[in-house]
Amino acid sequence: MRKKRIRKLLALLGAAVLAVCSFAGCGGEKADENVLYVYNYGEYLDPEAIDLFEEEYGVRVVYDEFETNEVMYPKVSAHNGQYDVVCASDYMIKKLILNDLIQPLDWEELPTAKENTGEVYLEMSEGFDPGNQYAVPYTWGTVGILYDPEMTGEEIDSWEVLWDPKYTDDILMQDSVRDLFGVALKYLGYSLNTTDIGELEEARDLLIAQKPLVQAYIMDEVRDKMIAGESAIGVIYSGEAEEALEGNENLLYVIPKEGTNIWVDSWVVTKESAHRNLAYQWIEFMCRPEIALMNFEYIWYSTPNVGLLDLLDEETLENETLFPHLEEYENLEALDYLGEEAEALYFELWKEVKSA
């Protein structure tokens, strides 16, 4: 864990220096063919993979990080050519497609990605990328509950626990509009993608009622706080959960019985990318099984790379946090982009929850 934090800090410092140089003119202009601009979630790639890519292709990578899709989108929308390749989630990729912000891919120029991306994950992607025209799956996973049974004194299998007053100031929630509302909507028996005003207002009221019980609305810090024993229960992504399980053997991860979000994150190339060929080389490089293994062991998110699966031991493949038997669960849904009007409604209700 400590090693990962140090490596992340060094990567961020390096990216910051490169970004200043590239945009200030000390490393060439933006159109420099030897520079690739990548935008990805925080702590979502092994920094050593960047070093290997730079060494092999004789290029520099300017690598920036964001925390949520909602932070990423406006930057890509306003300055589309600033980045060449972006990692984004299912519903946000659909929004990027609809607003003509990313370009169709030529899979014939992506033979490694074509060979190593499992058919089941391409089928999962059809919901937000019909025909698999725009996105190459990078990771997938679930959203669930991480908890310490020594602190709760009970087994947990339902979202209901997040509204139990006995856990006041011991609950961590995701600081993300769709994830936050997704929990409440699933608990109420509704779709993650509802646009029904009555259902959404019911979810808002439920979240407002829960607010006095919540210790914090955060993202990656859920993992760190749970490892440190600073909270009993946290809503978390499965990869973060796996890392927490390694850091604290007392913890357990569960997919609640009411259902949850099953998601896919993918690489896309921006519409105005000035370095399309480099972007393709980046995607191809990330789809090599040995590089995918580096990233898998760094971020601990489930992989769509079938070549990588052949490199994993049986114990890892049987890890149900990373590779759950999806057929055993009901009401699993992927988030969908619901249009500008519905998106504005979700944000307005989210602000009402946060300001209550």
Side-chain angles (χ1 to χ4, degrees):
M1 295 293 295
R2 178 176 171 80
K3 180 181 179 183
K4 180 172 179 179
R5 298 293 179 271
I6 292 172
R7 288 161 71 186
K8 183 198 176 193
L9 178 60
L10 292 174
L12 288 172
L13 289 172
V17 171
L18 286 174
V20 169
C21 286
S22 59
F23 287 104
C26 59
E29 298 300 317
K30 173 70 174 71
D32 188 343
E33 286 302 316
N34 292 318
V35 182
L36 179 70
Y37 296 80
V38 179
Y39 204 20
N40 192 8
Y41 286 100
E43 298 187 46
Y44 214 37
L45 184 145
D46 188 336
E48 290 185 11
I50 300 175
D51 296 338
L52 291 173
F53 180 82
E54 290 179 323
E55 181 179 355
E56 178 170 335
Y57 289 96
V59 300
R60 314 189 265 124
V61 174
V62 176
Y63 185 82
D64 291 340
E65 297 181 338
F66 57 87
E67 194 165 52
T68 69
N69 284 283
E70 287 71 26
V71 170
M72 173 274 292
Y73 180 84
K75 193 168 184 180
V76 172
S77 177
H79 307 284
N80 188 256
Q82 180 173 345
Y83 296 104
D84 300 299
V85 61
V86 176
C87 184
S89 299
D90 32 39
Y91 71 102
M92 196 56 70
I93 291 174
K94 184 174 181 179
K95 183 176 182 180
L96 290 166
I97 294 170
L98 291 174
N99 288 284
D100 198 27
L101 294 172
I102 55 178
Q103 57 180 272
L105 300 173
D106 185 345
W107 283 86
E108 295 306 312
E109 296 183 42
L110 296 166
T112 305
K114 188 175 182 180
E115 177 182 1
N116 290 317
T117 304
E119 190 63 32
V120 64
Y121 307 105
L122 291 173
E123 291 174 4
M124 287 170 62
S125 301
E126 287 274 357
F128 62 89
D129 179 20
N132 301 117
Q133 298 181 69
Y134 291 88
V136 176
Y138 174 53
T139 59
W140 68 276
T142 58
V143 177
I145 294 174
L146 184 69
Y147 72 101
D148 187 333
E150 292 187 0
M151 296 177 71
T152 63
E154 63 177 332
E155 293 185 2
I156 290 173
D157 66 354
S158 169
W159 293 119
E160 182 179 14
V161 71
L162 301 175
W163 281 266
D164 190 330
K166 73 180 180 182
Y167 297 116
T168 297
D169 201 37
D170 246 349
I171 296 171
L172 302 172
M173 297 292 286
Q174 290 288 312
D175 191 18
S176 166
V177 56
R178 293 300 297 274
D179 292 313
L180 190 66
F181 269 82
V183 169
L185 289 167
K186 276 301 181 187
Y187 176 44
L188 291 167
Y190 301 140
S191 169
L192 295 174
N193 299 306
T194 184
T195 58
D196 182 277
I197 183 63
E199 294 177 353
L200 288 170
E201 288 179 344
E202 191 177 348
R204 173 205 59 194
D205 293 345
L206 193 64
L207 290 167
I208 290 174
Q210 182 211 27
K211 195 170 181 181
L213 313 182
V214 177
Q215 181 186 119
Y217 297 92
I218 49 180
M219 295 297 289
D220 293 345
E221 297 93 332
V222 173
R223 169 201 61 212
D224 302 329
K225 282 181 170 289
M226 293 297 296
I227 290 174
E230 296 177 10
S231 188
I233 301 169
V235 177
I236 197 169
Y237 302 115
S238 53
E240 298 295 315
E242 177 60 26
E243 191 169 344
L245 295 173
E246 289 198 340
N248 184 338
E249 62 183 13
N250 293 329
L251 300 176
L252 296 173
Y253 177 74
V254 62
I255 297 174
K257 61 186 179 183
E258 297 91 350
T260 192
N261 172 24
I262 180 169
W263 49 265
V264 179
D265 290 345
S266 303
W267 295 110
V268 297
V269 179
T270 61
K271 183 70 177 288
E272 297 179 13
S273 167
H275 313 100
R276 174 187 178 278
N277 290 339
L278 270 183
Y280 272 46
Q281 289 172 335
W282 173 270
I283 294 172
E284 282 283 275
F285 187 78
M286 292 301 152
C287 287
R288 294 180 189 174
E290 65 274 17
I291 301 302
L293 178 62
M294 286 179 61
N295 288 327
F296 174 76
E297 292 180 340
Y298 186 79
I299 65 177
W300 290 115
Y301 276 99
S302 307
T303 176
N305 191 305
V306 293
L308 166 58
L309 295 179
D310 293 336
L311 303 179
L312 300 179
D313 58 40
E314 186 174 346
E315 181 180 357
T316 301
L317 291 172
E318 292 178 353
N319 183 324
E320 292 198 26
T321 300
L322 297 174
F323 301 105
H325 299 290
L326 299 180
E327 68 279 1
E328 297 178 3
Y329 298 93
E330 296 182 359
N331 301 319
L332 298 180
E333 285 187 276
L335 291 175
D336 195 6
Y337 173 59
L338 306 173
E340 291 185 8
E341 184 176 341
E343 185 178 59
L345 175 59
Y346 269 84
F347 270 101
E348 184 59 34
L349 296 175
W350 185 52
K351 287 190 293 183
E352 292 177 15
V353 173
K354 298 297 288 293
S355 63

